[in-house]
Amino acid sequence: MFRATLKSLLARKLRLLLSGLAVVLGVMFVSGAFVLTDTLGRSFDAVFADAYEGVDVNVSAKPRLEVGDFEGEAVAAPVPAETVERIRGLAGVADATGIVAADGARLIGSNGKVVTSFGPPQIGANWVGVSDLVQLREGREPQAADEILVNAALAKAGRVAVGDRVGVLTLEPKQEFTIVGVFGYSGGRDSIGGVNEIMFTTPVAQQLMLGQGDAFTNVTVTAADGVTNDRLRDDIAAALGADFEVKTGAELSADAAATLKEGLSFFNRILLGFAAVALLVGTFLIINTFSIIVAQRTRELALMRAVGAGRRQIIGSVILESVAVGLLASVLGLGAGVGIGALLAYLFGNLSGGLDLAGIAVPPAAVIGAFGVGLIITVVAALLPALRASRIPPIAAMQDVATPDRPLTKITVAGAAVTSTGATLLFLGLGGHAGDNALITILGGVLFAFIGVALLTPMISRPVVGLLGGIFSWWMPGKLGRLNSGRNPRRTAITAAALMVGIALVTGVTVILDSAKSSISGLVQEKINAELVIAGAQTGPRPSTFDPAVLEQTAALPEVALVGGAYGDLAQVGDERTWVGANTNVSMLTQIFGARATAGDISRLGPDQMLISSDVAASRGLSVGSTVPVQLARAEAKTYTVSGIYEAAEFLDPITLPATAAQGFTIPQPMMGFIQLTPGAQAADVLPQVETLLADSPEVSVADQGAFVEQQTEPLDGLLRMIQILLMLAIVIAVLGIINTLALSVLERTRELGLLRAVGLGRAQTMGMITVEAVVISVFGALLGIAVGSGLGAAVVEALRDEGITDLVLPWADMGAMVGLGALVGVLAAVIPAVRAARIDVLGAIAHD
Amino acid sequence: MMGLPRRPRGTAWTKRREGEDVTATVGRQAQAAARASEVWKVYGSGEAQVIALRGVSCEFEQGRFTAIMGPSGSGKSTLMHCLAGLDSVTRGTVSIGETTVTGLGDAGLTKLRRDQVGFIFQQFNLLPTLTAKENILLPLSIAGRKPDQAWFDTVIETVGLRDRLGHRPAQLSGGQQQRVACARALVSRPQVIFADEPTGNLDSRAGAEVLKFLRNSVREHGQTIVMVTHDPTAAAYADRVVFLADGEIVSELIQPTAETVLDTMKKLDTQVEVGD
């Protein structure tokens, strides 16, 4: 039995390879994800090990405000200069150096634009001399207050050189400096992990990066001979008390790497998500292929039964085949995954400004994932066809091989049941009835919906395929193609369903994002009463900011009625961490955002007062007169009194603090500015004037409402494009499925093709016939996908109604494009089978038995 | 007898006068609908060389029903395939009507099959997805030609399938399927119909029906038919039987009966055996 299985496997290697390819792609993503995160993880380990190489022990003050994993970096409280002196005097300390180093030093390059890093921080630090790590490459150390050094990576990215006069944005607005030197790092590196770094003199660094003189962000300590780092750490910690964090260099580097790896696991999840999509589509493909193989081997299997093979042996033989395919696909997928993981790591390293990659290795998780997923998917997909194979009666060996047209009742009932399960799960998940399991419930709902619709597809396929094919019926080959596509509804259905998955996901995402865009645009027009908006497109983790002086200058323009800047940050308010805002001008609330007071006075705000939204008031039980302690990132804790409550609405912060509080925010600069014009003033006249005022704030620009919405929703377009590209993979796999189905159909219908050719069907007509068959299947799949995707998208939009997504936008143009894509996919998939069909030797086809 | 519709494209259609005996035409030099001249067909080369046809020359006159017979391996099917342009010849020429088949490319062969040749195979003659009527009209649809309604009606009447036109092949008996195939071959009024063991898969009654129908289409409508068979009874329906053995024409019978065919076959068998 084993040998018979192997032989039949080898006889159909091409076909199995084609279906195996789907699994290969899925496995590729799984193992690629693990290889990528492993490689990047080890690379970051090396980066931080380097960064803290010369540090025996590091001392920093505990941050005033703890922040969560995805809420940005905590701002450490400053370490006073006298603490450095104290540490230096401790026993076991050879030397202690006060360091200023913080994110947010942004160089304006020679093109007038801010040099961005796309991820890694842009460090501004004090120059403390060369070390084992830091090497001066060119120029000299900074001596005057307006002298800086930049690292080689930044010099390259900003196209600046020693002697250049450059602008730098820090906690302060733009200031001008002269580059007096360029430095690099040990091993000839331009940057450590893509970080851009600017070195100031110590007093300047303190003022610009910390916002206060005579203090440091941390202190690096060198141990005296014979003192271990651990010992020194404990001694210093004991001497300084609980307000300081004392860690060895090794601990610090491990902590920093761990934080970054946490972020990397996000990549891992995205890639695994796409692997899941690829594998779902691949499962459809494998079920189809094995079903067809079993149908074609009916005689052979019946003969085996007739000569005494048991049911289990038949099942075993099909399963064995699937194991072989699964193994092969896993091996190939793992190989491809290592390749794609390495490629992505390389791209990532390059994008983030030259991360030195650790060597590519294959982590055990990649191997286990590859074989686990590849084997399980293939075997599970082959189970159903295997069971069917075992039910073939021995008598079938003596009969004509005919694909019996089994009734579709059972499969339709099952499909309806699975679809409604999916719909129920979606309802529960999206409706917020699933609690913490919402995401899993939603994903499960989507999966069930896909499988359910796939099961319903044979039933739907008859009328729809008939209707679709009607378009081609005027042409005989077209009519034949249409009839062929309707011949085996199950096969057509599952092939179309494979395409459906990719198209449905693309459609769903497009519906959601387009609806979001439209809603945002509507809200902006409706709720923001300002003709011009100052804002920047955020390119990194740090939001774009501008010089608040611009606001005053703008206010002085005669056409401007009201202008205000908005600040924001996370803060500890009472016992909860929450978003707080501050406006340069409290009247913005009512004048620009249309806030309506429900209690107290919201038209003014004293330095110790706060305004809250009605939601916050209700959920925290606060009312006018309540006092709440607030801890900001850069300020001492302070208690505010609620002086007014406004009705919660879009664009209104849950808590509004006075403008003075903004100096305690992580980023003490305004992120957005709103300009209201006097009646009769033209936005187009004022815009260039404000543009001029913003010359020294290159991160932002001024725009009218339309352009503002464009700018703010641009990231959504980018996201959409990225998702579309990745989902193309699912569509590519579906194309493989169509090729597979058609190739098998051509094979099955060799004699028929011979007959058609004998009665005068030309080669071009033959190819046309096959192409129509493919196009009918693929357009059917595209239509299904559009329908399912619109449904899913609409469900999500409905669920997000409370979040402000109120418009449901169906992207008709995109849908049309997807039908076109479906047709194109069909044409492409038909090429090989059509050529094969056209090349069929007429005599051989009709003479063969 | 029905009035014959006009044959398209001006090709000759030998119209027979009422009551004229077919035997009368035998002696006359009727125009050939298909012709093979010195046709050789050799498969393989060297040791494995097999000569299927050894310089066969033969004419198939218009409006006649010719059977090709011979023991298996005699080359009878090969001859038919070569005549129909389904297989290429190694040497010699084949022509159908005024078209020289030898040397035609795929496009030319497709056109030839579409316009001048009809086929009836032993089995799998019909497309399962099409109804009987659609199957019958298939060659015309492929060619993009409109069927001649009167002629279509005549053909349907003759094969007696009027009430089966909307059925799919799976709903028809073997005999009915074969009659649909005959109607399909006939409806485009080809120069020649090639029938390859058309009754091979039928029981004797159904087979007889098909054969009668083929003979009638020759007698009444002047259709030319060339049929390969190994069944003497089937061959007896033809006007003429050509016997092949070992790739050569070895004998010929005019106005055969089952007995004369059988006798000739026996003689050939003995010759082959003696030859061995």
Side-chain angles (χ1 to χ4, degrees):
Chain A
M1 199 71 196
F2 182 75
R3 187 167 296 173
T5 305
L6 272 188
K7 281 209 166 142
S8 70
L9 188 65
L10 285 174
R12 288 182 307 276
K13 49 187 179 296
L14 188 74
R15 189 172 322 156
L16 289 167
L17 203 73
L18 216 55
S19 59
L21 211 50
V23 182
V24 169
L25 288 173
V27 169
M28 178 184 86
F29 267 80
V30 172
S31 47
F34 285 115
V35 170
L36 174 69
T37 38
D38 171 75
T39 307
L40 290 183
R42 281 182 297 113
S43 309
F44 282 120
D45 282 344
V47 165
F48 289 112
D50 275 352
Y52 297 104
E53 198 188 332
V55 179
D56 289 341
V57 171
N58 180 76
V59 179
S60 60
K62 289 216 167 118
R64 296 186 176 109
L65 191 63
E66 296 285 346
V67 298
D69 284 336
F70 290 103
E71 295 170 351
E73 208 129 321
V75 179
V79 180
E82 69 253 26
T83 309
V84 181
E85 291 308 317
R86 236 183 100 199
I87 295 170
R88 197 171 285 144
L90 291 175
V93 173
D95 194 16
T97 316
I99 301 286
V100 178
D103 187 12
R106 292 147 290 154
L107 181 93
I108 298 169
S110 59
N111 60 358
K113 292 204 171 113
V114 169
V115 181
T116 50
S117 70
F118 299 104
Q122 316 215 66
I123 303 272
N126 61 336
W127 176 256
V128 293
V130 296
S131 62
D132 288 346
L133 181 66
V134 178
Q135 297 162 350
L136 193 60
R137 288 213 187 147
E138 231 186 293
R140 57 171 175 80
E141 306 194 336
Q143 286 150 359
D146 70 338
E147 291 177 351
I148 55 168
L149 294 182
V150 295
N151 71 0
L154 181 55
K156 272 182 197 163
R159 294 172 189 277
V160 292
V162 172
D164 285 359
R165 195 78 182 149
V166 295
V168 179
L169 306 174
T170 54
L171 288 182
E172 303 276 337
K174 180 182 146 183
Q175 292 192 11
E176 299 248 319
F177 295 91
T178 305
I179 298 174
V180 295
V182 172
F183 64 97
Y185 306 87
S186 59
R189 289 169 293 170
D190 291 346
S191 163
I192 293 181
V195 170
N196 292 332
E197 203 167 358
I198 300 176
M199 299 274 203
F200 306 90
T201 58
T202 300
V204 175
Q206 286 169 334
Q207 202 54 51
L208 297 187
M209 302 314 300
L210 266 177
Q212 69 181 87
D214 236 19
F216 297 94
T217 47
N218 59 303
V219 183
T220 56
V221 183
T222 322
D225 287 346
V227 180
T228 66
N229 293 346
D230 287 355
R231 171 78 193 280
L232 185 61
R233 173 197 62 197
D234 294 345
D235 287 353
I236 296 175
L240 293 181
D243 287 344
F244 292 89
E245 268 173 7
V246 186
K247 285 178 178 170
T248 63
E251 283 170 348
L252 208 58
S253 120
D255 283 359
T259 312
L260 245 171
K261 281 183 194 167
E262 188 77 17
L264 281 181
S265 68
F266 178 65
F267 275 103
N268 206 351
R269 265 172 247 154
I270 289 181
L271 285 174
L272 290 179
F274 285 108
V277 173
L279 287 168
L280 175 64
V281 178
T283 309
F284 284 145
L285 225 66
I286 290 178
I287 293 178
N288 212 12
T289 307
F290 275 93
S291 301
I292 297 173
I293 287 173
V294 166
Q296 286 184 331
R297 281 172 64 199
T298 302
R299 249 188 195 171
E300 184 189 328
L301 291 168
L303 186 66
M304 283 189 184
R305 292 276 282 143
V307 299
R311 277 196 174 177
R312 282 205 188 153
Q313 280 173 303
I314 298 289
I315 296 180
S317 88
V318 176
I319 293 292
L320 190 65
E321 227 173 283
S322 69
V323 168
V325 173
L327 273 179
L328 186 68
S330 301
V331 171
L332 293 177
L334 180 60
V338 172
I340 207 95
L343 179 74
L344 286 177
Y346 170 78
L347 288 178
F348 182 91
N350 260 10
L351 258 183
S352 61
L355 174 69
D356 293 293
L357 284 185
I360 300 294
V362 184
V367 180
I368 296 166
F371 283 93
V373 163
L375 264 183
I376 290 170
I377 290 281
T378 322
V379 172
V380 167
L383 261 180
L384 221 72
L387 284 175
R388 199 172 306 140
S390 75
R391 295 206 197 101
I392 295 171
I395 188 72
M398 274 58 96
Q399 291 167 339
D400 237 359
V401 189
T403 10
D405 211 4
R406 283 167 292 143
L408 298 171
T409 328
K410 253 196 226 165
I411 197 170
T412 306
V413 170
V418 176
T419 311
S420 26
T421 309
T424 311
L425 285 176
L426 276 175
F427 174 76
L428 290 177
L430 290 172
H433 303 293
D436 293 341
N437 299 323
L439 187 65
I440 292 190
T441 313
I442 291 170
L443 290 180
V446 171
L447 184 69
F448 271 90
F450 279 146
I451 294 173
V453 172
L455 290 173
L456 284 175
T457 312
M459 195 59 155
I460 310 168
S461 82
R462 280 197 174 143
V464 178
V465 165
L467 217 64
L468 268 181
I471 303 166
F472 301 101
S473 281
W474 53 271
W475 188 45
M476 193 59 201
K479 184 177 178 183
L480 291 171
R482 180 205 106 192
L483 289 171
N484 284 338
S485 60
R487 264 165 103 160
N488 193 329
R490 280 158 207 267
R491 199 186 289 176
T492 300
I494 204 158
T495 311
L499 185 62
M500 167 193 78
V501 174
I503 302 247
L505 289 172
V506 172
T507 309
V509 171
T510 312
V511 167
I512 295 167
L513 291 183
D514 278 9
S515 299
K517 263 174 74 173
S518 158
S519 306
I520 291 173
S521 165
L523 277 177
V524 165
Q525 275 167 20
E526 191 187 331
K527 307 270 177 166
I528 296 185
N529 187 16
E531 284 83 354
L532 294 173
V533 180
I534 299 171
Q538 193 171 336
T539 52
R542 191 183 192 286
S544 315
T545 56
F546 61 96
D547 184 352
V550 173
L551 294 169
E552 285 154 38
Q553 291 157 359
T554 307
L557 295 174
E559 299 95 332
V560 173
L562 177 69
V563 65
Y567 301 81
D569 197 7
L570 277 173
Q572 184 78 21
V573 179
D575 49 6
E576 231 176 276
R577 198 162 43 224
T578 181
W579 181 261
V580 298
N583 300 312
T584 53
N585 191 340
V586 76
S587 61
M588 282 167 71
L589 285 179
T590 46
Q591 304 284 306
I592 290 178
F593 302 122
R596 278 201 305 255
T598 60
D601 182 4
I602 64 168
S603 65
R604 74 190 80 213
L605 190 57
D608 303 322
Q609 293 177 325
M610 68 197 285
L611 303 176
I612 59 175
S613 78
S614 52
D615 283 355
V616 174
S619 67
R620 297 198 183 201
L622 298 174
S623 57
V624 173
S626 305
T627 55
V628 187
V630 174
Q631 172 66 63
L632 299 174
R634 293 181 188 275
E636 301 295 332
K638 181 173 173 178
T639 299
Y640 291 87
T641 309
V642 177
S643 64
I645 299 175
Y646 45 77
E647 206 175 301
E650 288 87 8
F651 301 111
L652 287 177
D653 298 311
I655 292 171
T656 302
L657 295 178
T660 45
Q663 291 317 304
F665 286 1
T666 306
I667 296 168
Q669 279 169 338
M671 298 167 186
M672 278 195 196
F674 299 89
I675 304 169
Q676 206 176 75
L677 302 182
T678 52
Q682 290 299 310
D685 298 335
V686 185
L687 193 125
Q689 300 182 55
V690 181
E691 238 164 29
T692 319
L693 295 176
L694 284 171
D696 282 343
S697 299
E699 282 187 314
V700 297
S701 57
V702 59
D704 59 26
Q705 285 203 343
F708 167 66
V709 169
E710 278 294 304
Q711 183 192 44
Q712 295 302 305
T713 53
E714 222 181 284
L716 289 184
D717 290 339
L719 181 73
L720 181 64
R721 231 164 288 135
M722 203 182 77
I723 293 175
Q724 280 172 342
I725 289 170
L726 280 164
L727 287 176
M728 279 296 155
L729 182 88
I731 293 172
V732 168
I733 297 177
V735 173
L736 292 180
I738 299 174
I739 296 178
N740 208 0
T741 299
L742 285 179
L744 292 167
S745 300
V746 167
L747 211 69
E748 279 180 350
R749 297 183 204 141
T750 303
R751 199 189 287 268
E752 235 176 271
L753 284 163
L755 172 69
L756 278 166
R757 296 276 284 132
V759 300
L761 195 72
R763 279 201 171 140
Q765 288 177 314
T766 310
M767 293 173 74
M769 178 178 79
I770 304 287
T771 307
V772 167
E773 183 176 354
V775 168
V776 166
I777 295 177
S778 62
V779 170
F780 174 49
L783 288 177
L784 265 183
I786 289 170
V788 173
S790 301
L792 290 176
V796 173
V797 168
E798 182 58 39
L800 291 176
R801 187 166 285 278
D802 290 344
E803 312 285 322
I805 300 190
T806 45
D807 300 358
L808 174 62
V809 178
L810 293 180
W812 296 111
D814 287 0
M815 290 178 179
M818 268 179 281
V819 174
L821 179 75
L824 183 72
V825 156
V827 172
L828 289 179
V831 171
I832 297 170
V835 168
R836 275 175 77 172
R839 286 217 186 120
I840 277 180
D841 171 34
V842 183
L843 183 60
I846 52 182
H848 102 296
D849 256 311
Chain B
M1 186 145 299
M2 266 166 267
L4 282 172
R6 192 154 289 206
R7 189 172 166 74
R9 297 172 197 212
T11 20
W13 178 285
T14 16
K15 184 177 175 176
R16 250 164 280 276
R17 263 153 284 150
E18 192 93 12
E20 189 186 22
D21 193 344
V22 185
T23 40
T25 62
V26 175
R28 278 213 309 261
Q29 194 55 47
Q31 202 192 338
R35 180 186 288 119
S37 330
E38 279 300 307
V39 167
W40 287 74
K41 180 70 190 175
V42 182
Y43 295 105
S45 58
E47 286 284 304
Q49 197 175 61
V50 177
I51 302 177
L53 297 175
R54 302 170 183 270
V56 172
S57 295
C58 190
E59 286 198 351
F60 301 88
E61 300 95 308
Q62 267 180 358
R64 294 192 72 179
F65 187 179
T66 311
I68 303 176
M69 291 202 74
S72 34
S74 61
K76 59 183 189 296
S77 287
T78 308
L79 177 60
M80 194 203 84
H81 293 149
C82 289
L83 282 169
L86 290 174
D87 207 349
S88 60
V89 300
T90 312
R91 216 164 346 129
T93 52
V94 171
S95 55
I96 289 189
E98 280 147 32
T99 316
T100 308
V101 177
T102 319
L104 281 181
D106 183 72
L109 286 173
T110 302
K111 197 164 158 34
L112 176 87
R113 290 196 294 263
R114 183 188 286 175
D115 299 334
Q116 304 206 43
V117 176
F119 286 103
I120 303 165
F121 301 112
Q122 186 173 358
Q123 51 180 341
F124 300 112
N125 262 307
L126 308 177
L127 285 193
T129 46
L130 300 181
T131 62
K133 182 177 179 184
E134 287 169 326
N135 262 296
I136 293 170
L137 293 175
L138 184 62
L140 291 177
S141 318
I142 288 172
R145 297 204 324 241
K146 285 249 177 299
D148 177 334
Q149 192 56 46
W151 177 235
F152 176 76
D153 287 339
T154 309
V155 170
I156 296 306
E157 221 49 68
T158 326
V159 291
L161 286 166
R162 172 79 50 201
D163 57 336
R164 294 273 171 211
L165 286 179
H167 289 58
R168 288 187 200 280
Q171 299 162 306
L172 299 174
S173 72
Q176 284 169 336
Q177 286 186 28
Q178 229 34 4
R179 278 190 281 154
V180 171
C182 293
R184 185 198 57 215
L186 213 57
V187 83
S188 58
R189 276 179 283 198
Q191 190 76 249
V192 196
I193 292 176
F194 292 102
D196 192 357
E197 305 268 14
T199 55
N201 263 19
L202 303 180
D203 61 56
S204 55
R205 230 189 80 204
E209 270 179 24
V210 168
L211 288 163
K212 261 183 228 156
F213 170 69
L214 288 178
R215 189 173 60 190
N216 286 347
S217 65
V218 172
R219 296 229 170 122
E220 293 169 15
H221 309 305
Q223 179 64 53
T224 310
I225 297 178
V226 176
M227 172 178 77
V228 167
T229 183
H230 63 264
D231 174 9
T233 324
Y237 281 84
D239 300 325
R240 169 189 174 210
V241 184
V242 175
F243 291 90
L244 252 76
D246 217 6
E248 286 174 290
I249 295 183
V250 290
S251 182
E252 195 179 324
L253 277 177
I254 307 290
Q255 292 301 315
T257 62
E259 287 73 34
T260 53
V261 173
L262 204 56
D263 284 347
T264 316
M265 289 288 285
K266 276 182 186 155
K267 262 184 253 163
L268 288 179
D269 276 349
T270 14
Q271 278 171 12
V272 173
E273 271 160 36
V274 171
D276 281 346

